[in-house]
């Protein structure tokens, strides 16, 4: 696809907003823009996978020490990790035992693109070159993240911090650190600068990562990357991601997002499935689609979109056949800031059909917003910027709370809880 939707510069400089449930307070002013009846996880009650997911989620809510893993994939909305981080914070601050490990992250700064504000990975950026699966001219190896950063110098130090400008009750800590890279190359040595921390370090060549185990929990670590032989011709260290790990129970919420990404672009990540197989997702949220349809109506290939979507569902099911998969219909948008994009309505029909076929659930954000052309109303209300594709700070906060409300309603139905009592619990978390 020639046109790629890039994250707005405001995401890079955006100040953090409080982790408050705002849906009640904004309803008098913005409620007319929202179709609250459409704000549901449709068909979740008919899915055995979702019944199991909500039962497990409920056990954590009740204080049981259990681990769960949620994946959320998308484009620029997810790379920025604004509304998804608000959802993460709700789930991980649910009670004293629910703060799971921070998990898989990508050092976007090293790839010269916008990094979420809630963690920080730094090095000498001038020595690194970034490659995204969504950029046609880029051609390297990609894994789970869909982004790779290449280092071709002699030596550098990488500062990895699990916490930056986040708002969790407790800071994230880790006693294991995985670094995903091109393990088939031996051009560089990768070590923890403070060797007294390290109990063991092992390389998993099949999973393409090196794992360091520490003798205590930490919230930051410094890695030293050094060429093994200075006479090496065309050396390359290709960083594909990191993972902050610990043994704590709770909910791990992993986001995978690439600016401009579509199913076709993610299909270029040849090691995506291999690295996903390292996990067994309890829930997988698919928020890919905006970039697949950002084109004139006569250029959108509905059959190709369906085929890509279905193939991606099957990748998830191979990783975990019992995974609860939530499809999300993309938000309404304007094509080139001029006309409502009719392709989203076609995507909506396809996504609902796939939901029924695979006995999954769907969150129809397109309908929640008001359908075709509704992004212009959200733009006039200053909930979206001029592109009418992304959202403002307030818009993303509303989006996160709408998601939470839909999830809580489905959870309450599955476990026979009082949905108002359950939602009130999240409203009063006071992170």
């Amino acid at each position: 696809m020639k046109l790629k939707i890039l994250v707005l510069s405001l995401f890079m400089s955006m100040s953090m907003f409080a982790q408050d449930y705002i849906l009640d307070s904004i309803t008098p002013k913005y409620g007319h823009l929202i179709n609250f009846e459409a704000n549901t996880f449709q068909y979740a009650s008919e899915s055995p996978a979702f019944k199991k997911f909500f039962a497990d989620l409920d056990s954590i809510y009740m204080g049981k020490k259990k681990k769960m893993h949620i994946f959320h994939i998308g484009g620029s909305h997810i790379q920025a990790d604004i509304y998804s981080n608000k959802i993460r914070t709700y789930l991980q601050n649910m009670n004293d035992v629910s703060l799971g490990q921070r998990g898989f992250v990508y050092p976007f700064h090293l790839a010269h693109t916008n990094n979420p504000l809630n963690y920080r990975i730094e090095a000498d950026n001038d020595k690194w070159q970034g490659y995204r699966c969504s950029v046609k001219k880029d051609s390297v190896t990609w894994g789970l993240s869909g982004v790779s950063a290449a280092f071709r110098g002699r030596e550098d130090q990488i500062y990895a911090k699990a916490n930056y400008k986040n708002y969790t009750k407790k800071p994230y800590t880790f006693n294991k650190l995985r670094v995903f890279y091109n393990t088939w190359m031996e051009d560089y040595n990768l070590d923890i600068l403070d060797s007294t921390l390290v109990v063991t370090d092992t390389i998993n060549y099949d999973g393409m990562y090196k794992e360091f185990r520490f003798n205590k929990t930490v919230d930051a670590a410094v890695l030293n990357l050094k060429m093994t032989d200075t006479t090496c011709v065309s050396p390359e260290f290709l960083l594909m991601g990191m993972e902050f790990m610990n043994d704590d129970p709770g909910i791990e919420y992993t986001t995978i997002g690439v600016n401009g990404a579509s199913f076709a672009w993610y299909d270029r990540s040849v090691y995506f499935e291999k690295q996903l197989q390292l996990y067994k997702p309890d829930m997988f949220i698919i928020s890919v689609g905006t970039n697949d349809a950002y084109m004139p109506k006569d250029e959108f290939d509905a059959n190709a979109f369906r085929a890509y979507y279905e193939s991606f569902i099957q990748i998830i099911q191979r990783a975990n056949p019992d995974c609860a998969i939530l499809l999300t219909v993309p938000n309404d948008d304007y094509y080139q800031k001029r006309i409502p994009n009719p392709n989203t309505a076609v995507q909506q029909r396809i996504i609902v059909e796939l939901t029924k076929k695979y006995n999954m659930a769907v969150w129809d954000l397109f309908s929640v917003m008001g359908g075709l052309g509704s992004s212009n109303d959200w733009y006039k209300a200053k909930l979206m910027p001029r592109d009418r594709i992304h959202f403002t700070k307030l818009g993303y906060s509303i989006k996160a709370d709408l998601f939470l409300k839909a999830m809580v309603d489905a959870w309450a139905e599955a476990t026979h809880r009082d949905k108002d009592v359950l939602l009130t619990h999240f409203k009063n978390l006071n992170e």
Side-chain angles (χ1 to χ4, degrees):
M1 185 170 61
K2 295 181 180 179
L3 295 174
K4 302 175 179 66
I5 301 170
L6 302 179
V7 70
L8 299 180
S9 61
L10 67 90
F11 295 166
M12 301 176 67
S13 60
M14 181 182 294
S15 60
M16 298 300 290
F17 47 89
Q19 175 72 11
D20 297 321
Y21 184 86
I22 63 170
L23 207 54
D24 293 338
S25 61
I26 62 92
T27 297
K29 184 175 181 180
Y30 301 106
H32 66 285
L33 300 173
I34 301 168
N35 180 353
F36 287 99
E37 290 186 3
N39 188 41
T40 64
F41 281 10
Q42 296 178 55
Y43 310 112
S45 61
E46 303 168 23
S47 168
F50 270 91
K51 289 177 182 177
K52 181 182 184 303
F53 170 78
F54 286 128
D56 290 343
L57 189 63
D58 200 66
S59 69
I60 293 178
Y61 171 72
M62 292 296 291
K64 295 181 181 179
K65 294 183 177 182
K66 183 179 181 64
K67 279 196 171 191
M68 294 183 70
H69 197 167
I70 298 172
F71 276 82
H72 194 165
I73 192 170
S76 55
H77 298 291
I78 304 302
Q79 179 175 327
D81 196 29
I82 300 170
Y83 92 94
S84 49
N85 187 50
K86 190 175 185 185
I87 298 167
R88 176 189 296 114
T89 306
Y90 277 131
L91 294 174
Q92 294 189 311
N93 287 340
M94 193 158 54
N95 55 42
D96 291 338
V97 301
S98 66
L99 181 65
Q101 61 189 24
R102 180 58 180 85
F104 186 89
V105 298
Y106 189 80
F108 290 102
H109 279 154
L110 299 188
H112 301 279
T113 183
N114 61 297
N115 201 92
L117 293 175
N118 52 78
Y119 64 89
R120 195 81 169 175
I121 299 173
E122 299 174 304
D124 187 342
N125 281 22
D126 292 337
K127 296 180 180 180
W128 294 79
Q129 185 173 354
Y131 301 89
R132 287 181 285 137
C133 66
S134 58
V135 178
K136 188 175 182 179
K137 66 179 179 61
D138 287 356
S139 181
V140 295
T141 300
W142 292 289
L144 191 63
S145 64
V147 185
S148 292
F151 178 80
R152 301 181 178 101
R154 288 196 173 189
E155 185 175 7
D156 200 8
Q157 291 181 351
I158 305 170
Y159 297 80
K161 304 174 185 178
N163 305 279
Y164 188 54
K165 294 181 179 180
N166 56 356
Y167 35 69
T168 54
K169 285 181 178 178
K170 299 178 182 178
Y172 293 106
T173 59
F174 56 97
N175 58 12
K176 287 171 282 191
L177 176 65
R178 283 183 180 176
V179 183
F180 291 85
Y181 66 99
N182 52 338
T183 53
W184 58 90
M185 300 283 283
E186 297 182 349
D187 299 339
Y188 291 88
N189 287 323
L190 179 69
D191 299 295
I192 299 295
L193 191 62
D194 183 0
S195 60
T196 63
L197 277 176
V198 182
V199 176
T200 61
D201 61 80
T202 55
I203 297 178
N204 184 315
Y205 290 95
D206 191 52
M208 289 162 284
Y209 65 82
K210 185 172 186 178
E211 180 175 302
F212 301 94
R213 291 177 178 260
F214 303 148
N215 53 29
K216 63 179 180 179
T217 57
V218 297
D219 62 3
V222 183
L223 293 143
N224 194 64
L225 182 62
K226 189 174 183 178
M227 192 184 298
T228 54
D229 183 354
T230 56
T231 64
C232 179
V233 178
S234 301
E236 182 176 75
F237 181 86
L238 205 59
L239 183 58
M240 292 186 280
M242 290 188 184
E243 187 171 12
F244 299 114
M245 305 171 69
N246 60 38
D247 303 311
D248 297 337
I251 301 168
E252 179 181 354
Y253 193 111
T254 297
T255 50
I256 302 166
V258 181
N259 294 342
S262 62
F263 284 115
W265 293 123
Y266 274 120
D267 197 49
R268 301 175 74 200
S269 298
V270 294
Y271 293 121
F272 183 97
E273 182 171 3
K274 180 180 280 290
Q275 291 184 342
L276 183 62
Q277 291 286 342
L278 296 170
Y279 310 94
K280 190 177 180 181
D282 297 284
M283 181 184 187
F284 204 113
I285 307 166
I286 303 177
S287 293
V288 182
T290 298
N291 295 288
D292 298 76
Y294 192 72
M295 61 189 67
K297 183 178 180 179
D298 59 356
E299 294 182 14
F300 177 58
D301 188 336
N303 290 329
F305 175 73
R306 181 194 296 272
Y308 273 123
Y309 212 127
E310 197 158 6
S311 176
F312 194 81
I313 290 169
Q314 292 165 359
I315 287 174
I316 300 167
Q317 290 183 326
R318 284 195 289 271
N320 180 13
D322 299 320
C323 181
I325 303 176
L326 178 70
L327 311 188
T328 67
V329 180
N331 58 268
D332 181 69
D333 65 79
Y334 264 52
Y335 179 64
Q336 295 186 338
K337 305 177 185 177
R338 293 187 290 107
I339 58 172
N341 189 346
N343 298 328
T344 310
V346 179
Q347 290 179 310
Q348 178 193 46
R349 173 178 54 79
I350 293 170
I351 291 170
V352 171
E353 289 173 357
L354 290 175
T355 301
K356 294 178 180 178
K357 178 177 179 178
Y358 286 91
N359 202 10
M360 299 176 298
V362 59
W363 184 51
D364 187 355
L365 181 59
F366 179 69
S367 293
V368 172
M369 287 183 64
L372 186 64
S374 58
S375 57
N376 194 48
D377 296 326
W378 283 57
Y379 161 64
K380 289 178 180 178
K382 298 183 179 179
L383 299 179
M384 300 184 84
R386 190 166 173 261
D387 69 359
R388 281 159 285 193
I389 298 169
H390 300 93
F391 293 82
T392 62
K393 177 173 64 175
L394 178 59
Y396 276 119
S397 188
I398 292 171
K399 184 177 177 181
D401 286 355
L402 286 166
F403 182 97
L404 176 71
K405 175 67 165 59
M407 185 187 71
V408 164
D409 286 351
W411 173 1
E413 182 178 1
T415 58
H416 307 291
R417 286 196 176 275
D418 185 317
K419 63 182 180 181
D420 294 326
V421 172
L422 192 56
L423 186 60
T424 298
H425 173 77
F426 287 96
K427 291 180 182 180
N428 296 324
L429 287 179
N430 296 320
E431 288 86 9

